Amino acid sequence: MTEFWLISAPGEKTCQQTWDKLMGATTGTSNLSINNKFNIPDLKVGTLDVLVGLSDELAKLDTFVEGVVKKVAQYMADVLEDSRDKVQENLLANGVDLITYITRFQWDMAKYPIKQSLKNISEIVSKQVTQIDNDLKARASAYNNLKGNLQNLERKNAGSLLTRSLADIVRKEDFVLDSEYLITMLVVVPKLVFEDNESGLFSVTLFRKAVDDFKHKARENKFTVRDFQYNEEEMKADKEEMARLSTDKKKQFGPLVRWLKVNFSEAFIAWIHIKALRVFVESVLRYGLPVNFQAMLLHPHKKNMKKLREVLYDLYKHLDSGAAIIDASMDIPGLNLSQQDYYPYVYYKIDCSLLDFKV
């Protein structure tokens, strides 16, 4: 299970009591989830108006940053091609696997100084991740062009004799060159049906004036005359271009993977900080001042998710009698749920299945 539930509830007499109450209800014999405290520092609250506006902005920023995290991860998988089993070991946050990072989350004071206002911190994240997104587009475009050009050349040298390049098959001595009257043509002749379905390549030297007649007769017999002129300079240029592209791809590969690794980590860390900001803002809006809430990270056991949701509802229904246990997946006529499900406690999902690639 790669799904986590980041929730918060107001402090009882102390925040520790809120934590103990959750642990008592969800762990031990009930074994509904594995829980960790989620540490959010004392952030600057600001005014209520700013918090309300920021709540909407952070929701959009959350979606955007998650999208960038997924794009960087997916492109890492694309670049590693045959080494996709190595994708996971390259997708780390601060040098540790993602689950470890989330469950041991510590606010990065250097990147996101808590003396700044909440709006400023969200703008730092937005600017940082927008830059990663722009850089990814530029780097991916350059690498994809290179890779595409190389694949086109490789494709020309592979496949059936009917379509592939013949430059690496024929030799100079197969041709009559520089003759005023004679020309050598290459003909693809299907092998006999009972032999196999492939073809053979034959060189045929004939008078130039007989070319059209020869092509006509070849078509009648289902032979394919290839449009090929022996040109050593062109053949040499093609080989050199292929070697150059192959070398350039190898040169770019290492630095690109390193860039993806570093910037995946940056984007993922930014994403989890956005989740922390959202919990803080929403908790202040719901539970009021002074700031007094406990943020908690739950890792539900898949088979117990429904039961866990019910237990949490029983624990926290007194916070908001209007909030029912409703999933967005339930189709209830007339009820328009936003993308974020609503519960009596603050809740945000963190889904790491962004790493479930189509291999």
Side-chain angles (χ1 to χ4, degrees):
M1 267 290 288
T2 52
E3 184 177 311
F4 290 83
W5 296 356
L6 180 55
I7 72 167
S8 85
E12 307 275 332
K13 285 180 182 170
T14 66
C15 287
Q16 183 61 38
Q17 279 182 302
T18 305
W19 170 251
D20 291 342
K21 203 169 176 183
L22 174 83
M23 290 296 284
T26 60
T27 60
T29 51
S30 61
N31 194 28
L32 300 176
S33 58
I34 299 165
N35 308 328
N36 291 89
K37 283 184 179 177
F38 191 83
N39 297 310
I40 301 175
D42 295 328
L43 300 168
K44 281 191 167 183
V45 174
T47 66
L48 188 62
D49 282 355
V50 169
L51 287 181
V52 171
L54 199 55
S55 177
D56 289 338
E57 285 172 30
L58 286 172
K60 290 172 191 164
L61 188 55
D62 187 347
T63 304
F64 168 66
V65 177
E66 181 181 2
V68 173
V69 170
K70 285 180 177 176
K71 275 196 274 188
V72 177
Q74 187 59 60
Y75 196 61
M76 172 81 83
D78 294 346
V79 168
L80 287 172
E81 293 175 23
D82 298 333
S83 314
R84 285 194 171 196
D85 51 331
K86 291 184 181 172
V87 174
Q88 298 292 54
E89 65 194 54
N90 280 298
L91 296 180
L92 305 173
N94 256 2
V96 297
D97 68 85
L98 305 185
I99 289 176
T100 302
Y101 178 79
I102 295 170
T103 52
R104 297 181 188 170
F105 175 76
Q106 293 293 325
W107 187 273
D108 190 326
M109 302 287 184
K111 277 198 188 90
Y112 312 112
I114 59 171
K115 287 180 181 175
Q116 299 260 10
S117 69
L118 294 174
K119 189 161 180 59
N120 281 3
I121 294 171
S122 75
E123 283 169 359
I124 290 169
V125 173
S126 179
K127 194 173 174 184
Q128 175 200 14
V129 178
T130 300
Q131 187 64 52
I132 291 172
D133 192 36
N134 291 337
D135 286 354
L136 176 65
K137 284 172 189 165
R139 286 168 186 267
S141 175
Y143 189 75
N144 289 349
N145 283 341
L146 180 61
K147 189 172 156 187
N149 290 339
L150 183 59
Q151 283 172 341
N152 286 340
L153 277 179
E154 286 170 342
R155 215 173 282 126
K156 275 169 70 176
N157 291 317
S160 149
L161 285 170
L162 294 168
T163 54
R164 63 163 295 166
S165 167
L166 304 175
D168 60 337
I169 296 175
V170 296
R171 296 163 299 166
K172 192 174 183 178
E173 50 266 36
D174 295 326
F175 293 81
V176 173
L177 299 170
D178 306 320
S179 166
E180 189 178 344
Y181 300 107
L182 296 175
I183 184 169
T184 301
M185 308 195 77
L186 297 178
V187 185
V188 179
V189 179
K191 288 191 177 179
L192 297 172
V193 175
F194 60 79
E195 225 176 294
D196 64 19
N197 292 319
E198 293 181 4
S199 309
L201 185 69
F202 296 85
S203 67
V204 179
T205 301
L206 62 154
F207 288 107
R208 288 182 182 275
K209 64 183 182 183
V211 166
D212 288 343
D213 193 37
F214 176 78
K215 285 183 175 177
H216 180 69
K217 292 287 184 191
R219 269 199 302 275
E220 283 182 356
N221 287 280
K222 295 190 168 58
F223 302 159
T224 305
V225 178
R226 290 292 307 268
D227 184 15
F228 182 85
Q229 289 180 323
Y230 189 87
N231 184 318
E232 277 189 293
E233 284 183 10
E234 275 185 18
M235 287 157 66
K236 187 182 173 192
D238 273 358
K239 280 183 181 172
E240 285 173 354
E241 175 70 355
M242 195 158 175
R244 184 187 68 77
L245 290 171
S246 187
T247 303
D248 284 356
K249 187 184 170 197
K250 282 173 188 165
K251 274 186 191 168
Q252 286 192 25
F253 178 80
L256 180 59
V257 170
R258 282 193 293 279
W259 184 90
L260 288 166
K261 188 173 180 177
V262 167
N263 286 277
F264 174 82
S265 176
E266 292 294 305
F268 188 85
I269 288 166
W271 186 40
I272 303 306
H273 279 75
I274 288 294
K275 294 289 188 190
L277 280 177
R278 293 190 76 187
V279 168
F280 183 85
V281 168
E282 198 63 25
S283 297
V284 173
L285 286 173
R286 285 216 206 173
Y287 310 141
L289 293 170
V291 175
N292 179 31
F293 68 88
Q294 179 64 53
M296 301 165 280
L297 186 74
L298 283 60
H299 194 182
H301 297 303
K302 192 170 186 180
K303 63 177 191 297
N304 292 332
M305 286 173 85
K306 192 178 175 207
K307 177 66 178 167
L308 176 61
R309 198 59 91 185
E310 289 166 358
V311 166
L312 292 177
Y313 179 72
D314 285 340
L315 264 182
Y316 302 123
K317 62 186 173 188
H318 64 282
L319 299 175
D320 183 353
S321 56
I325 312 176
I326 303 170
D327 269 324
S329 57
M330 292 167 64
D331 186 18
I332 302 171
L335 183 65
N336 180 24
L337 277 174
S338 67
Q339 288 179 325
Q340 184 67 56
D341 306 335
Y342 185 80
Y343 300 97
Y345 45 91
V346 172
Y347 160 80
Y348 295 105
K349 183 167 81 170
I350 301 175
D351 189 359
C352 291
S353 63
L354 55 100
L355 306 180
D356 293 344
F357 299 114
K358 296 169 188 168
V359 177

